[in-house]
Amino acid sequence: GVWGEFVSRMNRRVKTRQQEKDLLESALEQFQSALEALPDGVIFMDDHHRILWMNALAADMMGLLPTQDKGMPIEHLVREPDFVAYLQTGDYSEPLMFHPNSRNQVCYMITLISYGADRQLLAIRDLTQLEKLENVRRDFVANVSHELKTPLTVINGFIETLQTHHETLSTEKRQRFLDLALAQSHHMGRLVQDLLTLSSLEARATLVDETQVKVKPLIDDLVISAEAISAGAHTITMDIPEDLTIHGSATALRSIFGNLINNAVNYTPADGKIHISWRNVANEGVFSVQDTGIGIPALHLPRLSERFYRVDRGRSRETGGTGLGLAIVKHALSRHQGHLEIKSQVNVGSTFEAWFPKARLNQS
Ligand code: ADP
């Protein structure tokens, strides 16, 4: 009687407890899987920085072991001076920009947040990519300023000389100074034009002025200008199908072909040969400029289309190069879903190829 009533009440209580426990466990599981899914590293600690729990990403970022390292003070495990100093300051109003010595070029933003009576949360965000972009932007601004400053200094020098010595300078000298200053100002003009082309290519993911561009007449035009630059020093031959059209931007395509052809002229010594051709392969069409020029050492090839990257600064300057040509080619090609391929051998020559997807090509 009484015992029966007691036992069944106990049973009911145990059952409710079990249900509550199951409920709590499933809530905890859900909470943990949400924390695991976060794109940030998260570490829960007590007020002595002893680790209570961390997600897998945090373990990976900080080089910790998720189960073994539990209960250990984090500064005993991550012994990087910046990190330890941040934990010890006690002032967590600003996050720490953390560059671990053990990992090259990695940047984490670490924020310590206190909660509850004696709990702390360490949030770790990977800013490596963002920092890289910021560095690229900073380098670019510095490079542009430098590139513009050089011709500007030369122009200023000539103007000052003309101003101070205008009475004593011979007419020929004066003319020569003016010619040199004009050449520098043309160079600045080309630089600004290339920068504008590059920025308009970067500003949009797609092309706004797409039409069916006839390739042969465009190349004919560019070869005439290239022959003017070459002034008879090179033999330029060409094998481009008459009826080929590319669906794309005429100005961007002109930049691609023009830069590759002019580079071949600029980096090929007198008496060299330049061959411009087109070939169709499986799913692509390839525009190719082959020269018998100075060639490029293999170590430079991967960086050649970076903005302002030059193998030989002096030579590029001599030819009036801006160092932006191949960067423009690369961007303009990627706007056509194409890509650039370079093969080169020092003192033998180079082949630059612009690959276009078949979907953009038309040939009757
Ligand atoms: P630049 O204005 O200096 O020519 P580019 O971006 O067009 O700039 O080219 C980058 C660098 O690549 C050049 O400075 C040069 O060192 C190298 N280069 C480009 N085309 C050739 C080529 N056909 N032969 C040898 N080197 C080349």
Side-chain angles (χ1 to χ4, degrees):
V2 175
W3 281 109
E5 171 74 3
F6 179 72
V7 168
S8 80
R9 205 183 278 179
M10 280 302 281
N11 268 343
R12 242 180 289 137
R13 198 176 278 179
V14 167
K15 222 185 230 168
T16 334
R17 279 266 168 85
Q18 189 59 41
Q19 277 170 347
E20 275 171 4
K21 198 170 160 239
D22 288 351
L23 223 73
L24 262 174
E25 261 171 19
S26 103
L28 193 66
E29 248 167 48
Q30 275 190 26
F31 186 61
Q32 286 198 350
S33 55
L35 287 172
E36 287 292 359
L38 271 183
D40 292 342
V42 178
I43 301 177
F44 292 104
M45 309 181 298
D46 66 13
D47 54 354
H48 292 97
H49 305 147
R50 281 186 293 241
I51 299 172
L52 303 171
W53 187 88
M54 67 185 109
N55 64 2
L57 188 58
D60 182 48
M61 288 166 130
M62 304 302 275
L64 298 168
L65 300 167
T67 39
Q68 267 141 286
D69 289 343
K70 251 181 222 167
M72 296 282 281
I74 193 165
E75 55 263 65
H76 289 189
L77 303 164
V78 182
R79 290 174 175 274
E80 303 260 358
D82 289 355
F83 177 70
V84 174
Y86 174 70
L87 287 186
Q88 285 168 353
T89 53
D91 173 15
Y92 308 120
S93 52
E94 294 285 329
L96 166 73
M97 289 301 163
F98 179 45
H99 298 88
N101 290 326
S102 52
R103 294 189 182 190
N104 215 2
Q105 295 190 338
V106 162
C107 173
Y108 295 144
M109 183 175 80
I110 295 191
T111 316
L112 195 143
I113 303 152
S114 297
Y115 69 99
D118 54 1
R119 291 283 187 263
Q120 295 181 324
L121 185 154
L122 208 61
I124 311 156
R125 179 161 290 181
D126 191 346
L127 295 187
T128 309
Q129 283 312 319
L130 262 180
E131 200 185 52
K132 260 190 203 149
L133 279 178
E134 178 57 19
N135 286 344
V136 167
R137 194 195 62 79
R138 205 177 306 136
D139 286 354
F140 181 62
V141 173
N143 276 332
V144 170
S145 316
H146 180 76
E147 295 283 339
L148 284 170
K149 202 174 161 212
T150 314
L152 200 59
T153 310
V154 178
I155 293 172
N156 283 345
F158 286 137
I159 293 176
E160 276 163 20
T161 314
L162 288 170
Q163 216 173 27
T164 6
H165 303 288
H166 65 108
E167 276 157 13
T168 49
L169 279 176
S170 66
T171 321
E172 296 84 61
K173 244 193 185 143
R174 207 177 300 156
Q175 191 55 47
R176 195 171 140 60
F177 280 3
L178 284 171
D179 287 348
L180 288 168
L182 190 63
Q184 292 297 330
S185 114
H186 282 156
H187 179 72
M188 285 174 75
R190 272 196 304 278
L191 195 62
V192 171
Q193 187 51 53
D194 277 0
L195 285 169
L196 287 173
T197 306
L198 203 56
S199 94
S200 81
L201 282 169
E202 280 179 334
R204 287 179 291 269
T206 51
L207 295 159
V208 279
D209 54 344
E210 293 198 18
T211 49
Q212 290 293 343
V213 182
K214 287 193 178 117
V215 179
K216 181 72 170 39
L218 180 56
I219 308 284
D220 283 343
D221 234 30
L222 292 168
V223 167
I224 292 173
S225 338
E227 273 167 344
I229 304 171
S230 156
H234 307 92
T235 313
I236 306 180
T237 53
M238 167 165 65
D239 182 13
I240 303 285
E242 287 284 346
D243 52 354
L244 173 68
T245 62
I246 298 181
H247 186 69
S249 148
T251 37
L253 290 170
R254 177 177 272 274
S255 287
I256 297 171
F257 303 145
N259 274 307
L260 296 185
I261 295 171
N262 289 349
N263 276 352
V265 172
N266 287 333
Y267 298 102
T268 301
D271 296 331
K273 292 190 179 67
I274 294 160
H275 185 58
I276 302 163
S277 61
W278 181 270
R279 69 178 192 279
N280 291 308
V281 293
N283 280 315
E284 279 150 303
V286 189
F287 170 79
S288 161
V289 182
Q290 190 177 3
D291 66 49
T292 57
I294 57 172
I296 304 150
L299 80 126
H300 296 286
L301 292 181
R303 300 195 56 192
L304 223 51
S305 54
E306 283 176 23
R307 294 175 283 197
F308 299 118
Y309 191 87
R310 296 152 166 131
V311 176
D312 176 347
R313 199 158 271 275
R315 174 150 192 144
S316 160
R317 190 147 295 142
E318 260 171 45
T319 60
T322 59
L324 293 171
L326 291 180
I328 291 174
V329 170
K330 187 178 140 190
H331 271 91
L333 271 171
S334 86
R335 290 290 173 269
H336 291 84
Q337 294 75 47
H339 69 275
L340 178 68
E341 283 188 19
I342 311 167
K343 291 187 205 86
S344 189
Q345 221 177 320
V346 176
N347 294 330
V348 176
S350 314
T351 305
F352 283 74
E353 292 183 341
W355 288 61
F356 293 91
K358 199 140 252 179
R360 288 204 170 261
L361 310 176
N362 226 321
Q363 223 174 331
S364 48

